Amino acid sequence: METSERIAQRLRQFGELEATTSPLYRRLAPLAAARPELVALLRERRSGQPPANVLLAALQRRLMARPEAPLRGYFATLGGTRAPDDELATAFDAFWPGELDALAGLVRTRRVATNEVRRAAVLRLAYVAVARRLVERERPPTAHLVEIGASAGLLLAWDRFAYRYGSAGFGDPDAPVTLTTTWRGTVPPDPHAPFTVAERLGVDVEPVDLDDPEAAAWLRALIWPEHVERAAAFDAAGAVVRRLGVTVRAADALTFLPGGLDALPGGLPAVVVHAFTVNQFSDAMRRAFDQALGEAARTRPIYRVGLEWAPGGARLELTTYPGGRTTLLARADPHGAWVEPLEDEPATTSR
Ligand SMILES: C[S@@+](CC[C@H](N)C(=O)[O-])C[C@H]1O[C@@H](n2cnc3c(N)ncnc32)[C@H](O)[C@@H]1O
């Protein structure tokens, strides 16, 4: 088991190296590292969970229930306006000792698994590319949409959002969610319409039910305190998903595939999308995933859209089955803050 010293070291390291976009977490992580009760509590977290992210999300979650706590004034995602200052440590120590039991309950049970709405702005490029390919094959630009690793299903509602890429805008300007992304292309975004969704379905080994207030609050508490735009997009997209009634089935990707796709009404292709999910798979799982999609393509064309982490920018790839030919469509910020489109040329690699 990980020692307390190792956990404290990971908290300090998070503050020094990882919390680059959160001045508040840069300060809170080393404060927590110096509090043995908090470090001891992290020894009980679920296996594989990063200690700083779990603890800081648990703190933010408990602060949601404590509007009077001075510490809350530092959390912009909770309406706070204070920058970290000399009184932060006092506010921190006035808060956590009375919350130890509640924090422990969260730390023991919760996972760090976010659902990033703005990734939809990156995925949309692939959905336009799918529509183009369908039209080229003289098919209607309509397909089923299945997300593997869908979490709460926020990305499945992408066609209910509006988008802004620099000066170019798409979607209903009155949509409750507008996702704004920096466009790093030399030419404006392709104005071609994306494909139309027939059936939509999420699959996740541990789905998040937005109708469960605790589960929804935990997902929001994972958003770092300075990321106010992400929190607002999360709130608005969550409301859209609840209204839409998106289904996220509890299943492992490799149990669901390929047979799960057969249950979709016939005659239409399926777009199988995954974002920041397959990079958690072992090599053997990735091969099995690829093979399962190849098998599913015996009954319908499959368009696989992958947005997965890579050094220098996540890769947006489109793979068509049968055949398994992949095109790199874009590079992007992991949270969708920018997107750099690449030539939509066929087949940069073949699987
Ligand atoms: C980092 S989250 C990304 C969620 C969402 N795709 C997004 O980009 O916002 C990864 C999700 O994949 C799910 N996941 C991981 N392994 C899986 C598997 N083998 N089968 C199905 N879901 C899986 C996790 O439970 C988690 O909800």
Side-chain angles (χ1 to χ4, degrees):
M1 198 206 243
E2 210 174 20
T3 63
S4 294
E5 180 40 42
R6 173 71 188 130
I7 293 170
Q9 187 188 24
R10 287 182 69 181
L11 288 169
R12 286 191 296 272
Q13 185 177 318
F14 177 87
E16 283 161 24
L17 303 174
E18 295 170 43
T20 48
T21 57
S22 177
L24 180 59
Y25 282 180
R26 274 209 300 270
R27 293 276 301 275
L28 288 179
L31 287 176
R35 309 291 185 274
E37 293 96 323
L38 291 176
V39 173
L41 183 150
L42 284 169
R43 296 188 73 178
E44 296 176 38
R45 72 191 191 280
R46 286 178 61 175
S47 111
Q49 298 306 305
N53 301 68
V54 175
L55 179 65
L56 293 164
L59 267 182
Q60 186 171 173
R61 171 66 193 96
R62 291 306 306 155
L63 281 166
M64 289 175 185
R66 296 276 308 275
E68 80 298 348
L71 185 62
R72 182 163 155 156
Y74 294 94
F75 281 72
T77 39
L78 302 180
T81 52
R82 257 178 113 156
D85 55 22
D86 291 347
E87 288 164 50
L88 177 64
T90 308
F92 180 58
D93 287 330
F95 181 70
W96 67 262
E99 292 287 336
L100 262 184
D101 285 349
L103 291 171
L106 291 165
V107 163
R108 282 190 202 114
T109 54
R110 298 286 172 186
R111 293 182 310 150
V112 177
T114 51
N115 201 180
E116 284 297 333
V117 187
R118 201 159 44 168
R119 286 180 189 148
V122 180
L123 296 172
R124 191 181 178 281
L125 272 67
Y127 299 155
V128 168
V130 167
R132 275 196 174 285
R133 281 159 171 72
L134 287 171
V135 169
E136 276 162 22
R137 287 166 180 75
E138 297 182 354
R139 282 175 163 273
T142 301
H144 302 303
L145 176 67
V146 177
E147 185 182 358
I148 303 294
S151 184
L154 299 184
L155 295 176
L156 283 163
W158 64 274
D159 52 347
R160 308 301 156 112
F161 307 155
Y163 296 88
R164 286 216 70 81
Y165 304 93
S167 58
F170 300 98
D172 177 1
D174 295 326
V177 182
T178 298
L179 302 174
T180 303
T181 296
T182 301
W183 183 255
R184 292 198 176 166
T186 48
V187 292
D190 185 343
H192 199 289
F195 76 95
T196 303
V197 179
E199 300 271 325
R200 73 185 85 215
L201 175 66
V203 177
D204 200 294
V205 76
E206 216 169 305
V208 178
D209 178 3
L210 289 178
D211 288 328
D212 171 354
E214 274 309 313
W218 175 255
L219 206 53
R220 194 187 194 279
L222 286 164
I223 299 172
W224 291 6
E226 291 80 358
H227 298 196
V228 193
E229 244 189 71
R230 282 174 64 203
F234 172 85
D235 292 342
V240 171
V241 163
R242 274 196 295 271
R243 268 201 305 280
L244 195 59
V246 169
T247 302
V248 182
R249 194 179 298 171
D252 184 277
L254 297 174
T255 312
F256 172 80
L257 290 170
L261 294 182
D262 294 343
L264 295 169
L268 285 176
V271 174
V272 177
V273 59
H274 53 89
F276 287 78
T277 295
V278 169
N279 59 359
Q280 298 177 6
F281 290 8
S282 65
D283 286 347
M285 283 172 76
R286 275 180 229 202
R287 279 194 299 275
F289 185 66
D290 186 46
Q291 196 177 337
L293 291 175
E295 280 171 36
R298 288 188 191 139
T299 50
R300 68 177 85 238
I302 304 285
Y303 293 87
R304 169 183 177 177
V305 172
L307 176 63
E308 297 290 342
W309 186 88
R315 292 168 67 90
L316 177 69
E317 294 184 338
L318 174 60
T319 306
T320 49
Y321 303 83
R325 289 169 81 78
T326 298
T327 305
L328 175 62
L329 295 177
R331 305 297 297 246
D333 169 69
H335 292 159
W338 55 264
V339 60
E340 180 190 350
L342 301 166
E343 291 276 304
D344 182 7
E345 294 287 335
T348 50
T349 58
S350 188
R351 285 166 200 263

